[in-house]
């Protein structure tokens, strides 16, 4: 089978790069005789600051005209659109009678448009383009969803029949692993943590849905109870209001931003932390939960959206809007080291269920089903339900 993987522009989205890379690795293992081709829009040359609008025009021309027109000329048995925001490509591929599937990671911008604020130079144009792209998934032959919750959102908000959506969850890279105790001790000392310090960790962006401000408030509550707490933030830095909160609540000495470490350093950081704090308000999946579990680090996460199905029974689930519940969960683990050990082992066992080979096998089966039916199957658009 000839498979065309339609990616985002390199480095345009780190999470999408990881998904594409690992899925391709898995497909090469489960279907070693298949030919896999990768495509992505050309990178535009950046203009001077005075003419940045030219970049925008070039980007839209490349992404919405030249690139999809080029794809129509390629002969493949199946086209896999890696990112739901590129769902508009299904319209082009359908017109060329090219069977295609789309992976839907989340519909956060549609369900919580407030989280889109401040993320684009031209927000109205970007949001309109994003929505048009996502709605293009209706023209696909099939949808792959990374979680049951995202499948539910896709059914409810795009009106796509659940029979045309298959859940193929994300997985964790095997490089994430538990380090030896002496290695962990060395890492903690390198980062200036005392042996008795209770280290909390958050990994990812600082979008409002990530609830970083809620974590900081919880850290303040934990500190007030006399617990030697320290909070590490990895990924996007704290925003202005959060930095003001840290300073005004005298948290400067127990909060550290660690930047955007490479994967080797991130594995060390996961291991050195005592607990991952991931009480997001919304997640389409929640990959950091699995990464932390693979490193043997206990997880506190939210009891909403996709996080419960990702965490299973291997994490403490809390109401993300209740900062006292977040703080109490962290204090409980600090006061009950035996429970930390149980959660750690449960996490190590649970994460074994999420492998890229298993995900790739599900995806490969969808490819095979779609190619078998492509000559007679109607596009999803003809099968969508009526939604209010």
């Amino acid at each position: 089978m000839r498979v065309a993987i339609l990616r985002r522009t390199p480095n345009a989205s780190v999470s999408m790069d990881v998904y594409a890379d690992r899925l391709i690795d898995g497909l090469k293992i489960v279907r070693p005789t298949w030919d896999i081709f990768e495509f992505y829009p050309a990178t535009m040359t950046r203009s001077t600051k005075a003419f940045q609008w030219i970049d925008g025009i070039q980007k839209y021309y490349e992404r919405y005209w030249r690139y999809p027109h080029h794809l129509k000329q390629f002969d493949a048995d199946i086209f896999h659109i890696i990112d739901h925001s590129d769902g508009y490509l299904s319209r082009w591929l359908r017109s060329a009678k090219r069977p295609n599937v789309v992976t839907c990671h989340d519909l956060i911008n549609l369900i919580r448009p407030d989280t889109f604020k401040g993320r684009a130079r031209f927000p109205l144009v970007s949001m309109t383009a994003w929505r048009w792209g996502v709605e293009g998934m209706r023209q696909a032959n099939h949808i792959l969803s990374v979680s049951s919750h995202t499948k539910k959102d896709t059914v409810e908000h795009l009106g796509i029949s659940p029979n045309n959506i298959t859940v193929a969850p994300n997985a964790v890279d095997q490089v994430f692993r538990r380090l030896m105790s002496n290695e962990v001790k060395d890492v903690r000392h390198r980062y200036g943590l005392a042996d008795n310090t209770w280290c909390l960790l958050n990994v990812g962006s600082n979008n409002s849905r990530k609830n970083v401000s809620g974590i900081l408030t919880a850290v303040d509550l934990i500190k007030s109870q006399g617990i030697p707490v320290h909070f590490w933030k990895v990924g996007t830095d704290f925003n202005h209001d959060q930095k003001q909160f840290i300073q005004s609540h005298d948290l400067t000495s127990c909060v550290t931003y660690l930047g955007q470490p490479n994967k080797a350093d991130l594995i060390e950081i996961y291991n050195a932390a005592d607990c991952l704090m991931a009480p997001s308000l919304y997640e389409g999946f929640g990959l950091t939960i699995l990464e932390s579990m693979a490193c043997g680090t206990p997880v506190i996460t939210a009891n909403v959206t996709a996080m419960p199905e990702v965490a299973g029974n291997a994490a403490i689930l809390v109401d993300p809007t209740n900062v006292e519940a977040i703080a109490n969960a962290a204090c409980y683990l600090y006061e009950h080291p035996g429970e930390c050990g149980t959660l750690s082992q449960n996490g190590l066992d649970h994460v074994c269920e999420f492998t890229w080979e298993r995900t790739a096998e599900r995806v490969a089966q969808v490819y095979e089903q779609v190619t078998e039916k492509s000559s007679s199957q109607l596009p999803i658009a003809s099968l969508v339900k009526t939604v209010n």
Side-chain angles (χ1 to χ4, degrees), residues 6 68 79 81 86-102 133 135-143 379:
L6 311 187
F79 290 76
I81 302 166
D86 289 338
Y88 68 91
L89 292 172
S90 287
R91 295 186 174 98
W92 288 80
L93 294 170
R94 178 195 172 195
S95 69
K97 295 182 171 53
R98 297 289 195 264
N100 65 93
V101 301
V102 184
E135 290 174 348
M137 289 194 292
R138 292 170 176 164
Q139 303 298 322
N141 295 81
H142 203 83
I143 303 296

Side-chain angles (χ1 to χ4, degrees), residues 293 308-317 339 342-343 346-347 350 353:
M293 289 179 177
E309 67 178 283
V310 175
N313 65 351
I316 293 181
L317 303 180
E339 183 64 20
T342 299
L343 277 180
N346 288 347
H350 179 66
E353 300 176 15

Side-chain angles (χ1 to χ4, degrees), residues 170-367:
N170 289 325
V172 63
D173 195 324
Q174 292 183 352
V175 299
F176 288 93
R177 67 197 187 283
R178 194 173 194 175
L179 301 181
M180 301 295 291
S181 58
N182 62 315
E183 294 178 285
V184 173
K185 187 174 182 178
D186 289 343
V187 174
R188 287 174 64 93
H189 286 175
R190 191 192 319 150
Y191 282 96
L193 291 183
D195 291 340
N196 68 331
T197 299
W198 180 243
C199 184
L200 307 178
L201 171 67
N202 178 264
V203 178
S205 74
N206 199 359
N207 188 280
S208 59
R209 67 182 175 85
K210 295 294 186 177
N211 202 20
V212 174
S213 294
I215 298 174
L216 286 172
T217 303
V219 169
D220 187 42
L221 292 174
I222 296 167
K223 181 186 175 186
S224 69
Q225 297 185 38
I227 294 175
V229 64
H230 198 101
F231 176 44
W232 282 346
K233 175 75 176 73
V234 169
T236 306
D237 196 1
F238 299 106
N239 61 36
H240 175 75
D241 290 343
Q242 291 162 353
K243 290 178 180 178
Q244 288 289 101
F245 181 91
I246 292 169
Q247 186 173 18
S248 63
H249 288 74
D250 196 25
L251 297 177
T252 305
S253 63
C254 57
V255 173
T256 304
Y257 171 58
L258 297 182
Q260 301 182 26
N262 59 39
K263 188 169 290 185
D265 289 340
L266 180 58
I267 292 168
E268 291 185 339
I269 290 168
Y270 269 123
N271 275 270
D274 292 295
C275 180
L276 177 75
M277 304 292 282
S280 298
L281 302 173
Y282 188 106
E283 291 288 352
F285 187 79
L287 189 57
T288 62
I289 295 172
L290 296 184
E291 291 174 349
S292 184
M293 289 179 177
C295 294
T297 302
V299 174
I300 295 173
T301 190
N303 60 2
V304 297
T305 65
M307 288 163 281
E309 67 178 283
V310 175
N313 65 351
I316 293 181
L317 303 180
V318 297
D319 177 357
T321 64
N322 187 337
V323 294
E324 290 187 355
I326 298 172
N328 289 340
C331 291
Y332 174 78
L333 289 182
Y334 174 77
E335 295 165 354
H336 298 82
E339 183 64 20
C340 280
T342 299
L343 277 180
S344 176
Q345 187 57 55
N346 288 347
L348 289 168
D349 294 338
H350 179 66
V351 79
C352 292
E353 300 176 15
F354 297 86
T355 68
W356 282 111
E357 288 84 357
R358 184 175 297 184
T359 296
E361 178 61 37
R362 291 191 186 184
V363 172
Q365 290 175 7
V366 169
Y367 291 171

Side-chain angles (χ1 to χ4, degrees), residues 138 140-141 158-164 377-386:
R138 292 170 176 164
N141 295 81
L158 293 181
I160 296 174
S161 169
N163 295 330
N164 289 302
Q377 184 184 39
L378 294 172
I380 286 177
S382 64
L383 302 171
V384 296
K385 303 186 299 181
T386 300

